[in-house]
Amino acid sequence: TQTHHRAGGLIMNIEERLAQAETLLAPWNKETIHPETNRVDIIIASEDLRSAVSALQEARWGYLSAITGMDLGVESGQLEALYHFCSGPAITSLRIRLPRNNEAHLSSISDIIPPASLFERELHEMLGVEITGASLFDRLFLPDDWPDEVYPLRADFTPEQAAPAQDKRTNHVHEPAVVGGNTFVVPIGPQHPALKEPGHFEFTVDGEVVTAA
């Protein structure tokens, strides 16, 4: 039937796209894994990351959908970073094994794919992977007083490690309601459509500190 032809064509297209990705990445491929019918994982060395990403970009093979990381456990002594590229339903993941110590380094690809910067910051912040050549280093999720070298997605992380760092706390009293620099006005709803004059509230923040409401 027509439906079966379409399904067969889709499967063939996925196979062709994955085969194309394997061909593009062949110069840096250490091992190939097929965890699912629509996905291929290519294991590469950390020093080959930028070359592999550039090859996919230059061939216009899909788009970077995410960068994820895993702690493979204290006993393994390894972390793993995965760079996921999607082309329709076809997925190619670049997998890189890293040492679990202070030698966990990856080169930034944000100059090749600018949105990668957000994922790189998360990888550093949550797992402690150093991103060399990154343009942004400020925190994305963790508060300002989070202690250094404590990574919440590490397998051996405990809540006790997250005690606020005293040397990062500030007793500075912020001037209220002065907007500019690092101070912003944040509008808050809700604005109910049934109200003739919808309620609207604002508060002023300086970094993570609310200075006025």
Side-chain angles (χ1 to χ4, degrees):
T1 65
Q2 186 175 6
T3 302
H4 285 251
H5 284 303
R6 287 179 179 175
L10 179 61
I11 293 172
M12 182 61 69
N13 184 54
I14 292 173
E15 292 176 349
E16 290 173 352
R17 294 299 284 165
L18 295 180
Q20 182 188 20
E22 289 189 53
T23 300
L24 291 169
L25 298 169
W28 311 284
N29 188 354
K30 305 296 184 185
E31 183 182 350
T32 301
I33 302 172
H34 292 270
E36 300 175 76
T37 56
N38 67 323
R39 173 177 166 182
V40 62
D41 290 4
I42 307 293
I43 297 178
I44 64 173
S46 58
E47 59 267 24
D48 295 328
L49 172 62
R50 288 179 57 84
S51 297
V53 170
S54 294
L56 293 174
Q57 277 292 98
E58 290 168 8
R60 298 184 181 276
W61 199 100
Y63 60 92
L64 178 69
S65 64
I67 300 173
T68 58
M70 296 189 298
D71 185 347
L72 301 180
V74 177
E75 293 182 358
S76 74
Q78 290 184 315
L79 304 173
E80 187 171 55
L82 299 92
Y83 291 68
H84 306 283
F85 290 81
C86 296
S87 177
I91 303 169
T92 295
S93 296
L94 305 177
R95 294 174 57 172
I96 304 170
R97 293 287 176 90
L98 300 166
R100 206 173 172 276
N101 53 26
N102 294 332
E103 299 300 316
H105 296 277
L106 285 172
S107 296
S108 175
I109 61 167
S110 59
D111 58 323
I112 304 171
I113 306 176
S117 174
L118 291 174
F119 299 125
E120 291 175 345
R121 289 163 65 188
E122 180 182 14
L123 195 62
H124 169 69
E125 196 169 324
M126 296 297 177
L127 281 168
V129 177
E130 292 294 330
I131 308 296
T132 58
S135 57
L136 294 173
F137 297 96
D138 52 319
R139 285 180 170 167
L140 191 62
F141 299 109
L142 301 180
D144 291 340
D145 58 0
W146 187 272
D148 293 332
E149 298 184 4
V150 174
Y151 308 110
L153 292 188
R154 289 286 184 107
D156 54 352
F157 169 78
T158 62
E160 291 74 21
Q161 292 176 298
Q166 297 300 319
D167 60 338
K168 292 189 176 184
R169 289 193 167 187
T170 176
N171 294 320
H172 171 67
V173 178
H174 295 258
E175 186 176 355
V178 176
V179 180
N182 197 39
T183 304
F184 305 88
V185 174
V186 181
I188 300 177
Q191 298 183 2
H192 198 284
L195 296 178
K196 183 177 181 181
E197 297 180 358
H200 185 77
F201 305 92
E202 292 182 346
F203 67 89
T204 308
V205 295
D206 184 353
E208 294 182 348
V209 180
V210 176
T211 58

